[in-house]
Amino acid sequence: MTSSPQATITSLGVDIRRGDITSVGLTDECLKTIAARNSTLNAFITVCEHGARESAKALDEELAKGKDRGPLHGIPISLKDVIDLQGIPTTGATRHLAQNKARRDAVVVSRLRTAGAVLIGKCNLHELAFGTTGEESASGPTRNPHSMEHIAGGSSSGSAISVATGMSLASLGTDTGGSIRIPASACGVIGLKPTHGEISMAGVLPLAPSLDHVGLIARSVQDVTIVFQIIRDVQQSHASKSWDKHFNTNVDVRPLRSGALVLGIPRSYFFEKIDPAVHTAFEKTVIRLNSAGYRVRDATIPQAKYTGSVYLHTQLSEASECYSELLDNQPETLSEEVRLRLELGRYVLAEDYVRAQRARKILRDEVDAELLRYSALLLPTLAIVPPRLGTKTITFGGDSSTTRALTLRLTQLFNLTGHPVITIPCGTVEGLPIGVQLVGRRGRTEQLLSLASICEEAIRG
Amino acid sequence: MQPDAWFKQAQRDAIHKKLPKLVPLLDMLRDATQSLRGNNWLPLPDNKKVPIGQIETPLTVSSEAPSIEQK
């Protein structure tokens, strides 16, 4: 039932209220799928079997008595294992935190509980959310459900796998450079990174606070919208509390006006290093959008070519600061790959961090300016087809790049600028999913979701 | 400090800390630092910045494309 890709929060919610299924039945379905597939896919670090069943039973009883908590009532949802769930360890997929039992729920988790979600377990990830493949984890590597030999993408790997396979109907994750969008694209599901600062990070392990976003993965834009509306910070929307505050940001908060949608494709930089098969799949999506009546035009972000260097100086510095104590005292508990990246951040000079923050503001202004001309920006999510496990470098046309650089290449700019982005599946290449990103205006995540729901059918094909 | 001088020092430090695999990563960071410093990061002129409440235009540009209400 839940493993059918057609099963969504929306459709199952109807079935629950009609009495065709119960929350206990739905939870058992998810637990059965986990039991059958987790040993190979490695999506979960902790499965909350007992707690989930008890919670589902209580929610069924509530509904029988006429108490309906809304669209998430009785729906199994999973959490990336950087998000606190009371009484369960938040491991961050690192050995050092194996016994780090959460004393209370993260803010987003308490919102899910209040809304009646069944919290089914904690998902595997790239260690400390510091990686894009999902291969490096104290709990072992994750695998792509569409092909076991390929990466699931990261860092929210287990979250994407759990939603793609029906182990849960939605999953909360985090995105610092693409960590929700990359695995969502690689596993063929939908991922949302909202505007920076729109969803509380309280009770969530940080990586680089000025880039960190809580977001989510689900199976339809409608499902993403339902969960987003429940977990967002209503009091502190449109990024008012984040780093943006220091730059006196101007955020448009007026409601969406009806009219035609015009999408802008930022080709320069973004299409300079891209797998030809991904490029072809993307252009087919553009043709479908054109055929459906949407206007698609070329856009320009003049300084986008500096994205990698600006991101590196920001992310490495902040991550090293977050984990400086661990680096000083127990570096041996980290995987070599993650330790080296954290060590690297210690060599970023303060003057270059400051330069990078100045550059961020300019990049943000450039993206804002393009969003004056277009309803949203459209670009692929990943520059490559999910590679085989263990692939360190990838070459197109004689030019070799690291897998890490290529997986981040199309996503990280919008962590620097804070714009909301959604990834939607747009096809497959050799059986592996490909996705496109729609980038919306800052502080207008709901408008982006409306726009995405309109285009979803044409994008999926 | 000039990136070349700084990163030479950093590489010696990495070897001293018995982290030889950090050396190629430091090369990569040095290149990124040179790229960051190589651009003159002038802010956008005010007339190119987006003023508050003026991001509506593109949603009504095309009359032939389907509107949100039509969909």
Side-chain angles (χ1 to χ4, degrees):
Chain A
M1 182 198 316
T2 58
S3 51
S4 157
Q6 280 75 40
T8 60
I9 292 172
T10 319
S11 66
L12 292 167
V14 171
D15 292 345
I16 287 177
R17 280 156 191 84
R18 216 191 272 146
D20 293 347
I21 48 165
T22 60
S23 176
V24 169
L26 200 53
T27 303
D28 279 341
E29 280 285 327
C30 291
L31 290 170
K32 260 188 226 166
T33 309
I34 295 170
R37 303 195 66 185
N38 198 48
S39 59
T40 49
L41 297 172
N42 211 7
F44 279 81
I45 290 176
T46 308
V47 182
C48 305
E49 194 171 338
H50 178 72
R53 280 209 177 97
E54 288 296 303
S55 163
K57 192 175 161 204
L59 287 158
D60 279 338
E61 285 166 6
E62 273 189 9
L63 205 57
K65 288 176 190 161
K67 183 177 177 185
D68 187 339
R69 294 178 185 231
L72 291 190
H73 192 117
I75 301 291
I77 290 185
S78 59
L79 307 168
K80 183 179 185 177
D81 202 11
V82 292
I83 301 172
D84 282 350
L85 177 62
Q86 189 177 21
I88 306 290
T90 301
T91 73
T94 193
R95 283 192 290 149
H96 171 69
L97 297 175
Q99 307 301 323
N100 177 37
K101 199 179 273 192
R103 287 189 201 152
R104 59 182 73 84
D105 286 341
V107 166
V108 283
V109 173
S110 63
R111 286 180 184 151
L112 288 178
R113 274 196 208 275
T114 306
V118 173
L119 301 164
I120 201 150
K122 308 288 295 290
C123 291
N124 202 355
L125 63 141
H126 203 109
E127 185 177 28
L128 291 175
F130 204 168
T132 58
T133 63
E135 290 174 286
E136 205 62 73
S137 161
S139 295
T142 55
R143 291 172 182 273
N144 194 307
H146 297 269
S147 166
M148 301 287 284
E149 302 307 313
H150 291 78
I151 65 161
S155 62
S156 307
S157 341
S159 290
I161 299 166
S162 77
V163 173
T165 55
M167 295 172 177
S168 66
L169 273 303
S171 189
L172 301 195
T174 54
D175 190 315
T176 304
S179 283
I180 285 174
R181 290 162 285 156
I182 293 166
S185 173
C187 294
V189 286
I190 295 186
L192 171 73
K193 177 199 89 64
T195 304
H196 186 256
E198 211 163 23
I199 297 179
S200 171
M201 282 287 295
V204 180
L205 286 181
L207 177 59
S210 82
L211 302 166
D212 290 340
H213 300 64
V214 172
L216 72 132
I217 293 171
R219 289 173 161 189
S220 69
V221 174
Q222 194 176 7
D223 282 2
V224 166
T225 306
I226 287 168
V227 179
F228 169 72
Q229 286 174 338
I230 285 163
I231 62 171
R232 71 177 165 177
D233 268 6
V234 176
Q235 301 302 316
Q236 292 189 307
S237 61
H238 48 84
S240 60
K241 64 174 181 172
S242 64
W243 68 275
D244 271 350
K245 197 175 172 184
H246 304 297
F247 293 104
N248 188 26
T249 183
N250 293 335
V251 179
D252 183 5
V253 293
R254 292 194 296 171
L256 181 70
R257 206 164 68 201
S258 63
L261 302 177
V262 188
L263 305 173
I265 304 175
R267 292 197 182 268
S268 171
Y269 168 75
F270 294 98
F271 287 76
E272 285 163 13
K273 279 189 185 177
I274 189 164
D275 185 321
V278 172
H279 199 163
T280 303
F282 177 78
E283 295 302 342
K284 282 183 186 167
T285 308
V286 172
I287 291 168
R288 283 199 301 276
L289 284 163
N290 271 321
S291 305
Y294 301 106
R295 282 190 167 191
V296 183
R297 301 282 180 267
D298 283 356
T300 312
I301 301 163
Q303 317 262 25
K305 62 184 173 191
Y306 294 102
T307 300
S309 57
V310 176
Y311 181 81
L312 206 61
H313 286 82
T314 306
Q315 198 250 15
L316 288 176
S317 309
E318 295 189 15
S320 294
E321 190 277 332
C322 277
Y323 292 102
S324 60
E325 208 177 306
L326 177 58
L327 271 183
D328 286 340
N329 300 320
Q330 290 181 289
E332 70 285 352
T333 62
L334 291 161
S335 68
E336 184 183 48
E337 178 204 287
V338 170
R339 180 188 175 186
L340 287 173
R341 270 193 235 128
L342 287 171
E343 291 279 2
L344 188 62
R346 297 185 144 181
Y347 296 97
V348 174
L349 289 168
E351 62 175 293
D352 293 315
Y353 179 83
V354 172
R355 236 173 233 121
Q357 302 322 296
R358 192 188 309 143
R360 272 175 88 171
K361 184 178 180 301
I362 294 166
L363 286 167
R364 192 198 65 194
D365 286 346
E366 287 186 351
V367 176
D368 279 348
E370 280 310 82
L371 287 167
L372 248 181
R373 303 173 61 209
Y374 302 108
S375 315
L377 300 179
L378 175 75
L379 68 161
T381 308
L382 274 168
I384 49 175
V385 180
R388 286 184 178 274
L389 289 157
T391 307
K392 298 292 179 202
T393 56
I394 295 173
T395 306
F396 326 116
D399 187 13
S400 190
S401 302
T402 64
T403 301
R404 177 174 168 78
L406 285 172
T407 45
L408 285 168
R409 187 173 169 87
L410 309 185
T411 53
Q412 60 192 349
L413 173 62
F414 309 107
N415 293 78
L416 288 169
T417 65
H419 289 82
V421 193
I422 189 165
T423 177
I424 300 175
C426 70
T428 58
V429 172
E430 293 170 7
L432 287 159
I434 301 292
V436 294
Q437 299 180 93
L438 285 169
V439 183
R441 296 163 185 167
R442 282 182 302 125
R444 302 292 300 272
T445 306
E446 285 210 308
Q447 184 197 75
L448 173 69
L449 290 167
S450 302
L451 192 150
S453 70
I454 295 165
C455 304
E456 183 176 5
E457 199 183 317
I459 288 173
R460 283 181 183 269
Chain B
M1 192 168 190
Q2 287 304 310
D4 274 344
W6 168 247
F7 283 104
K8 266 183 196 156
Q9 202 173 306
Q11 288 181 346
R12 280 196 294 272
D13 191 46
I15 301 293
H16 177 73
K17 286 202 286 194
K18 297 191 170 66
L19 292 171
K21 288 185 180 172
L22 195 54
V23 172
L25 294 177
L26 285 163
D27 283 338
M28 184 263 298
L29 180 58
R30 183 200 55 221
D31 292 347
T33 302
Q34 283 167 341
S35 160
L36 181 69
R37 291 190 185 193
N39 190 38
N40 189 6
W41 291 100
L42 292 175
L44 258 61
D46 283 347
N47 64 355
K48 294 259 171 125
K49 284 187 188 164
V50 179
I52 296 175
Q54 296 207 357
I55 322 184
E56 289 293 316
T57 323
L59 301 179
T60 54
V61 164
S62 167
S63 55
E64 73 269 25
S67 70
I68 289 163
E69 282 155 356
Q70 284 163 346
K71 293 290 280 186

